[in-house]
Structure formats: structure tokens, C-alpha cells
Amino acid sequence: MKKILAILLAAMMVFALAACGGDADKPSDSKNDDTAASQAESKGNGNLSDLDSALSQIEQLIPEGWDENNYGAYIYNVWDSDFLPDCFPEAPDGIKVDQTTFKDYKHDTMSGGYAVGPLNYEKKEDYREYGVFFYATKAQLDAFTAAVEAKGMNGGITEEGEWTHYNYFGNGWFMEIFVRDSISEENYEYSVSVSATDSLFALPKSIDGIPLPQCGMTESDYNKNYTIQDFTNGYEDVDFNLSSDKLPAEHYAAWFNYHCATNQDAIDYAIQLKDLGWEVEWESDGEDGYRCCLKKDGVYAISNYYDYDCILEVAFSDMVENLSY
């Protein structure tokens, strides 16, 4: 219903804005042509801006039947496929749905923290979060994760045990699946909480002229806030501007983590550096992931993939010892 309403309202606004811009097509004196063209362009840009704003407001409409408070919107006992984004598959057969939820930019969190899985935000206005909560058997949970992967989402289990976490990434979305043993529903083995967001951070392009991976996602906005490790006097984190700062001559390490990457991403990044003249110091590809250390012009680099948490780790330093734990 929400999608139908959005389409109808968008169509109405397009026609309304087109009518409002009709004056720009009226004939004008030659000496006023430039002024008229400028005004028409300004009005056109204003109309597009108004339309974008209106469409954004439409997108935030809470569906009929939902409730809302300061901490989000929700509907109990419903898997609202019409509202959930495409990264969510349909509800697996036989599960017990507890609720569908939505945190918009205006909604705060009860904990006062702002995060979705490994993604960390500075304030509530930085992100949206869609969610479902349900009870499932092992077979139903496996069916759900398989359906998520069929949607083109890459990832898998990043932490397993009494509390199990899955991280998935793809098509501009991140999804975390948090699984616990069910304590309230005897016919189901697990309680499953699913959160997804498209409020992802732009990947940094390079550091001191060295290209960086363009895969997976970073846990924070490296382009806005990034630090390197300075070992000059012990250890401290030092602010570093990726768009302008140069790496120090010595006593440093710069780290980047790319969540929901793949083993092939680590291999491809090492190949990219090799093609740029980096020499391989050592390289391995085992059951738990790919590892590679390279060197060029006195700088060491690593491209390591950790299969158990789906992370590509990239780092640079003047000393190879700084790149090991």
C-alpha cells in the first residue's frame, strides 16, 4: 500500500512541477534571453530539488497498521514484505514472526549508541535501519540465510557460539543476523534478529597515492575520521587526512578493515599492488584465508583475509614488525 501511494504521489508531483515550470517556455525579448534562460534553469533545478525532497518524505511514510514512538516504528506479528527493502527475502515457511521494525533518521535508540553490526555512526541522523525479529528452527534459519545469499549478499558467520552473528553485504546493503537460543518459544530452537541498512560509508580511494581496495565496507567513515598509529614516543593514534596527508618517514602503521569482503578480494588487491611495482615478501593461501606481505620504496603492505570473520585487512608501515600482532 505504501509503495502504491508513493508512486501515485510522485506522479502527481511530477505533473504539478511541470505545470509550475510552464512560464519558462514563454517567448521573451532577445535582450532578456540570457536572463530568462537563467531563471528557467534555476526554476528547473529548484523543481528537481523539491521533487527529491518530496520523494524522500514519501519514502519515510510509516505504513498503515504500524505504531511509532521516539525509538522507531514497528508492527507486531507481521513480516511486512511490502515495506522491507529487497535485500530481505520472504519469511521462511513455518517461522513465528514477532515484529517488523524501522529506525528512520529522526528516531533515537534506547541505548544511546548508534551502530548496525560493525558499522558505527556518530548520530541518529546518519543512518536508517530496517529489521525483523522471528523464531526459527535450524532448518528454517538455514533456509533464511540461503535466501539472503540468493539475493546476492556476500558474507556468513563471523562469530559462532551461544550467540551467533552473520554479516552480509551486497547491492548497497549491509545485513546483520543475530541468533540466540530460544528461551520463550519451545517449538523453535532460535530467536533471530535481523537488521539491515543502506547507510554505508564511501570507501577511501587511496592513502599517500597508494590505491586502496574498493570492496566490502568500512566500519566507520575513513574519509571523515581516520587515524594512523604513531610509534615515535611509545604508541598513540594520530589524526590523518586521507585526501591530503603524506605517510610519515618512519615509526607508523596505517590500518584498514573491509568487512564482508572475500578471499578473492584480498588476492585481487595484492595483484593490483604487484602490477604497481610492489615486490612480494611472502604469500600464502590456506584454509583460513589468504595472506600476503609486499614492499615498495621502503614501505611494507599487507593484504590479509580472515575467513572466520569475513574481513580483508590492509595495512602499511615502514617496519614489517608493526604489521603483526
Side-chain angles (χ1 to χ4, degrees), residues 253-288:
W255 297 84
F256 300 87
N257 287 327
Y258 298 86
H259 295 265
C260 298
T262 67
N263 196 67
Q264 189 61 47
D265 289 328
I267 295 172
D268 290 344
Y269 183 63
I271 292 173
Q272 183 180 6
L273 292 184
K274 292 177 193 177
D275 291 343
L276 294 173
W278 292 71
E279 298 289 336
V280 175
E281 295 286 295
W282 48 260
E283 185 177 26
S284 67
D285 193 0
E287 292 184 358
D288 59 345

Side-chain angles (χ1 to χ4, degrees), residues 158-291:
T158 59
E159 184 179 341
E160 192 168 13
E162 183 180 357
W163 292 3
T164 298
H165 296 261
Y166 298 73
N167 285 348
Y168 285 100
F169 169 80
N171 305 316
W173 287 89
F174 166 72
M175 176 182 289
E176 181 193 49
I177 305 171
F178 176 42
V179 182
R180 294 171 290 178
D181 291 342
S182 175
I183 59 174
S184 61
E185 297 297 326
E186 294 181 357
N187 296 327
Y188 297 94
E189 299 170 67
Y190 304 113
S191 61
V192 184
S193 177
V194 184
S195 298
T197 184
D198 59 350
S199 303
L200 307 179
F201 304 112
L203 297 175
K205 297 295 185 182
S206 63
I207 180 171
D208 197 4
I210 305 168
L212 291 169
Q214 298 299 297
C215 60
M217 61 181 198
T218 57
E219 67 265 23
S220 59
D221 192 347
Y222 288 156
N223 290 303
K224 184 177 180 181
N225 296 303
Y226 182 73
T227 61
I228 64 171
Q229 297 173 353
D230 185 352
F231 300 105
T232 304
N233 296 303
Y235 166 87
E236 63 178 329
D237 288 333
V238 177
D239 290 338
F240 190 93
N241 189 322
L242 286 170
S243 64
S244 60
D245 289 348
K246 302 292 184 182
L247 288 170
E250 56 184 10
H251 306 315
Y252 71 90
W255 297 84
F256 300 87
N257 287 327
Y258 298 86
H259 295 265
C260 298
T262 67
N263 196 67
Q264 189 61 47
D265 289 328
I267 295 172
D268 290 344
Y269 183 63
I271 292 173
Q272 183 180 6
L273 292 184
K274 292 177 193 177
D275 291 343
L276 294 173
W278 292 71
E279 298 289 336
V280 175
E281 295 286 295
W282 48 260
E283 185 177 26
S284 67
D285 193 0
E287 292 184 358
D288 59 345
Y290 176 79
R291 309 284 191 275

Side-chain angles (χ1 to χ4, degrees), residues 41-53:
E41 181 179 359
S42 176
K43 179 175 289 187
N45 290 338
N47 287 346
L48 290 175
S49 177
D50 291 343
L51 179 58
D52 288 341
S53 176

Side-chain angles (χ1 to χ4, degrees), residues 1-16 51 55 58 61:
M1 182 67 185
K2 172 178 178 286
K3 292 182 179 179
I4 295 174
L5 177 61
I7 293 171
L8 291 174
L9 289 175
M12 292 172 62
M13 281 188 291
V14 169
F15 288 119
L51 179 58
L55 289 175
I58 289 173
L61 289 176

Side-chain angles (χ1 to χ4, degrees), residues 134-153:
F134 62 96
Y135 299 94
T137 64
K138 178 65 164 62
Q140 291 163 344
L141 174 61
D142 290 344
F144 178 71
T145 57
V148 170
E149 292 169 7
K151 289 277 189 178
M153 304 285 279

Side-chain angles (χ1 to χ4, degrees), residues 23-45:
D23 291 344
D25 297 328
K26 293 181 180 179
S28 60
D29 296 335
S30 58
K31 74 174 185 177
N32 293 326
D33 282 348
D34 291 341
T35 300
S38 176
Q39 291 175 343
E41 181 179 359
S42 176
K43 179 175 289 187
N45 290 338

